[in-house]
Amino acid sequence: MSIRDKLSALLGFDIDFDAPVPPRKTETAAEQTPDEWRFSRRIMRAGGRRLGAIYKILGVICSVVLMSTLLLTVAGMPRYGVDQEYMDTVTYEYISHGMEYTGAVNIVSGIILEYRAFDTLGESFVLFCAVSCVLALLRADGADSEPERVEYRDISCDPILRRTMRAVVPIVLLYGAYVLLFGHLSPGGGFSGGAVIGAALIMIASAYGEDVSGRILTERVFKTVTTCALSFYCLGKSYTFYTGANGLHSVIGNGTPGNILSAGLIMPLNVAVGMVVACTIYGMYRMIGQRRF
Amino acid sequence: MADFTEAIKAALLVLLIISATAAATAKKTLPAIIIFSSFSLIMAVVWALLESPDLAITEAAVGAGVSGVLFFMAYRRMGMMSGGKGDDENGKEDDDEHKG
Amino acid sequence: MSEWVRFYICAAFAAFGVAAFIFAAVGVCRLDYVLLSLHASAIADTIGISSLAVAAAVYFGLDLVSLKLLCCAGLTLFTSPVSTHLLAELEFLTGKTFGAHTRRIGK
C-alpha cells in the first residue's frame, strides 16, 4: 500500500483534489440591495422621487457637517505630552501632585478612582443596568413560543478543547488577577482586568458545558457579586468623601508609592469594578447565547 | 526616526477609516462582524502609539476579544429568531444534520 | 561588534515573520474552501507570531521584557492549533460543501 492509501485508511476518507469545486453562488440583483437603499426606496414610494432625493442629500450633508465639526475640534486641541506649554491648572495639578496625593504610581488610576471616583461609580452603574436589562429582556420564560433548537453537537464534548482549557484558563485568570490588583502601579486597572476575567469565564463555560459551569457560575452568584461590589464601592467612597470634605482623619492611609497595599482605597475599588465588568461580560454571553443564565 | 513613527501613525489612521467604512457598508453581516473586530485591533495599536497603555489593554481585551464573541452569539441568535431565516445569510441554516 | 550581530539577527527574524504573514494573507484571500484557508491562517498564527516574538526578544536582549514576549508567543502557539482544530471539526460535521471537496472510500 502506498502512503496515500495508508493515510486514507487511517482517516476514513480521501481528499480528492481533482473533484470539481462547486461554483460560487451568484446573487441576484434583489439580494444585493443593502438595507439603507431599501429604506430610501420606501421613502420614495411614500413621497415620490423628490422626497427620496432630498433624503439622500440631507443624509450626505449631515454626515459631512458632523465629520467636519469633529475634525475641526480635534485639530484645535493641544498636542499630547508633558512638555507642552499649554497646560491648564487642573492638568498641572494632576501631573505634579497626583502621586503624592493619591499614592498611586499610575496617574490614570489615581484620577479615575480618587479625583473622579464618582464618575467611575456611574460607569459601573451603567454596566449593572445594561446586564439587568439584558437579563430582563432576553430571558426565555415558559410562555415563549419559540421551539428550542437541539444543538447538533455541543462544542464542550471535544476532549482536545478540554485538555487545552485545563492548562490555559488558570493562566488567563492569573493574568486577569494581576492586571486587576496592580492597577495603581502599572497600566491596567479595573476595566481591563475585569474584561480579561470575563473572557476566562466565557472560556470555562464554553469548554466545560453546563454541568460544570452551572455549579458555581449561577445567576444568584452573579447578582450577589455585582450588588456587593457596587455597595462596597458606595460605602467606601462615601467614607472617604465624608472625612475628606470635613477635614477629619481617615483610617485609610496612602502608604508608600510602589507597594501593592498603598494608594488608599484604589486597589479594593479596582477589584470591585473588575468584578462588575466580569459579571457583565459573562452575563451577556449567557443571555445572548443560551437565553438562560 | 520620529518621521517614521508619524508615517506609521498616519497609515494606521487611514486604515482605521477604511475598516470603519467597510464595516458599515458591508453587504453581509458576518464579514461586517469580522471587520469590526479588525477595527478594534487597529484602534488598540493606535492607542499604544499615542502613549496610553491603559486604553490599549482595554481596547484589545474588550474590542478585539469579548465584543467579537458577543457579536457572533447575537448573529447566531438572529438566524433562530425569525423562524429559521436570518437577514440575508443566517447563522444556522442546517436543521437536518443533527449528529449526536 | 555584538550590537551589529544582534541587529542583523533581529532583522532576519523580523523579515521572516513579515514574509510569513504576507504569505498567509495571500493564502486566506485566494483559497476558496475553508479547510484549505485554515492552513494559511495557521501559518500566520504560529510561524509569524513566533518569528516576530523572537525578533523582539533578541532586540531587547536578556531582560524581563523578552521573557514576557516569549511567554505570549508560547501561549499563542499553544492555543492557535486548538482553534484551527475546532473550525475544521465544525466544517467536517456541518459543512454543506464538504462532500464536494472530499471523497469517502471504503465502507
Side-chain angles (χ1 to χ4, degrees):
Chain A
M1 283 208 300
S2 73
I3 293 183
R4 188 172 170 168
D5 294 334
K6 283 187 202 157
L7 195 66
S8 317
L10 199 69
L11 287 174
F13 60 88
D14 182 28
I15 295 185
D16 186 14
F17 287 102
D18 302 323
V21 179
R24 225 188 258 267
K25 189 176 76 149
T26 55
E27 296 160 345
T28 62
E31 290 167 356
Q32 261 178 351
T33 315
D35 270 341
E36 64 270 15
W37 290 357
R38 260 187 251 145
F39 185 68
S40 76
R41 266 189 208 166
R42 272 162 54 189
I43 289 187
M44 272 176 12
R45 246 181 270 141
R49 295 198 84 86
R50 201 169 288 180
L51 194 58
I54 290 179
Y55 168 76
K56 283 188 205 169
I57 293 178
L58 271 182
V60 171
I61 289 180
C62 279
S63 307
V64 168
V65 164
L66 190 63
M67 270 196 284
S68 51
T69 312
L70 290 171
L71 284 173
L72 284 174
T73 311
V74 169
M77 281 168 65
R79 295 185 60 87
Y80 64 91
V82 184
D83 311 320
Q84 305 302 325
E85 65 274 0
Y86 176 88
M87 220 195 301
D88 58 354
T89 47
V90 182
T91 316
Y92 188 73
E93 162 79 18
Y94 282 163
I95 293 178
S96 53
H97 302 304
M99 197 167 92
E100 64 185 77
Y101 182 76
T102 64
V105 179
N106 184 13
I107 303 182
V108 178
S109 278
I111 292 177
I112 67 176
L113 285 172
E114 184 80 24
Y115 285 112
R116 295 256 179 241
F118 199 60
D119 303 340
T120 314
L121 179 65
E123 287 176 24
S124 310
F125 270 139
V126 165
L127 286 170
F128 179 68
C129 286
V131 76
S132 306
C133 291
V134 168
L135 208 66
L137 286 174
L138 285 187
R139 183 197 300 271
D141 297 329
D144 211 61
S145 64
E146 178 194 305
E148 185 72 31
R149 310 249 329 215
V150 175
E151 284 286 331
Y152 42 87
R153 184 178 156 117
D154 206 358
I155 202 177
S156 64
C157 306
D158 199 16
I160 296 183
L161 184 63
R162 282 180 176 235
R163 271 316 281 242
T164 315
M165 285 300 117
R166 233 169 81 169
V168 167
V169 161
I171 297 178
V172 179
L173 277 176
L174 183 69
Y175 177 64
Y178 161 74
V179 169
L180 203 56
L181 288 173
F182 278 68
H184 56 293
L185 298 177
S186 64
F191 297 99
S192 335
V196 175
I197 293 186
L201 294 178
I202 292 182
M203 274 202 268
I204 295 179
S206 68
Y208 290 102
E210 285 289 321
D211 47 357
V212 170
S213 64
R215 272 187 242 151
I216 305 181
L217 309 173
T218 58
E219 180 180 339
R220 194 195 183 94
V221 164
F222 282 105
K223 281 182 181 170
T224 316
V225 166
T226 340
T227 320
C228 287
L230 282 175
S231 312
F232 169 72
Y233 195 119
C234 276
L235 296 173
K237 219 47 205 168
S238 307
Y239 173 73
T240 329
F241 282 161
Y242 181 72
T243 56
N246 293 338
L248 305 170
H249 171 73
S250 79
V251 271
I252 307 163
N254 266 353
T256 8
N259 293 351
I260 292 188
L261 292 177
S262 69
L265 263 187
I266 291 189
M267 193 198 72
L269 294 184
N270 262 329
V271 173
V273 168
M275 289 296 110
V276 173
V277 173
C279 296
T280 303
I281 289 179
Y282 183 73
M284 291 216 178
Y285 168 78
R286 290 290 288 202
M287 291 313 293
I288 297 180
Q290 276 90 28
R291 301 194 89 209
R292 72 198 128 80
F293 209 105
Chain B
M1 199 59 201
D3 295 330
F4 194 59
T5 316
E6 293 293 323
I8 289 194
K9 264 188 226 173
L12 279 178
L13 288 175
V14 167
L15 261 182
L16 209 60
I17 298 177
I18 292 177
S19 63
T21 318
T25 60
K27 295 196 171 55
K28 297 191 194 145
T29 315
L30 191 59
I33 298 175
I34 299 176
I35 299 175
F36 187 73
S37 282
S38 84
F39 170 85
S40 291
L41 172 72
I42 302 176
M43 194 72 216
V45 177
V46 168
W47 286 132
L49 279 177
L50 287 175
E51 301 173 16
S52 46
D54 282 3
L55 291 168
I57 296 180
T58 312
E59 180 79 32
V62 169
V66 173
S67 182
V69 168
L70 291 181
F71 266 119
F72 275 120
M73 310 295 295
Y75 176 67
R76 206 180 77 172
R77 275 288 138 192
M78 236 166 46
M80 288 187 189
M81 270 186 173
S82 4
K85 294 199 75 66
D87 60 349
D88 38 27
E89 188 186 272
N90 47 12
K92 288 174 89 78
E93 30 182 315
D94 44 352
D95 48 353
D96 50 328
E97 299 185 8
H98 294 266
K99 298 275 193 291
Chain C
M1 170 63 187
S2 78
E3 285 293 325
W4 282 109
V5 170
R6 221 165 67 176
F7 175 74
Y8 278 123
I9 292 181
C10 169
F13 271 112
F16 184 62
V18 169
F21 268 113
I22 292 179
F23 278 123
V26 169
V28 165
C29 290
R30 289 276 300 172
L31 293 169
D32 272 339
Y33 188 44
V34 69
L35 281 184
L36 296 173
S37 54
L38 274 179
H39 286 278
S41 80
I43 282 184
D45 263 349
T46 53
I47 300 180
I49 290 190
S50 303
S51 299
L52 288 179
V54 167
V58 164
Y59 179 75
F60 283 113
L62 274 182
D63 207 0
L64 190 62
V65 182
S66 329
L67 183 65
K68 290 184 181 176
L69 273 170
L70 292 176
C71 283
C72 290
L75 183 74
T76 311
L77 266 178
F78 200 60
T79 57
S80 155
V82 176
S83 57
T84 312
H85 157 74
L86 288 174
L87 282 169
E89 187 184 28
L90 187 67
E91 167 67 21
F92 171 65
L93 291 172
T94 67
K96 285 217 146 33
T97 58
F98 186 74
H101 293 266
T102 59
R103 180 167 56 100
R104 177 174 275 272
I105 60 171
K107 20 172 177 15

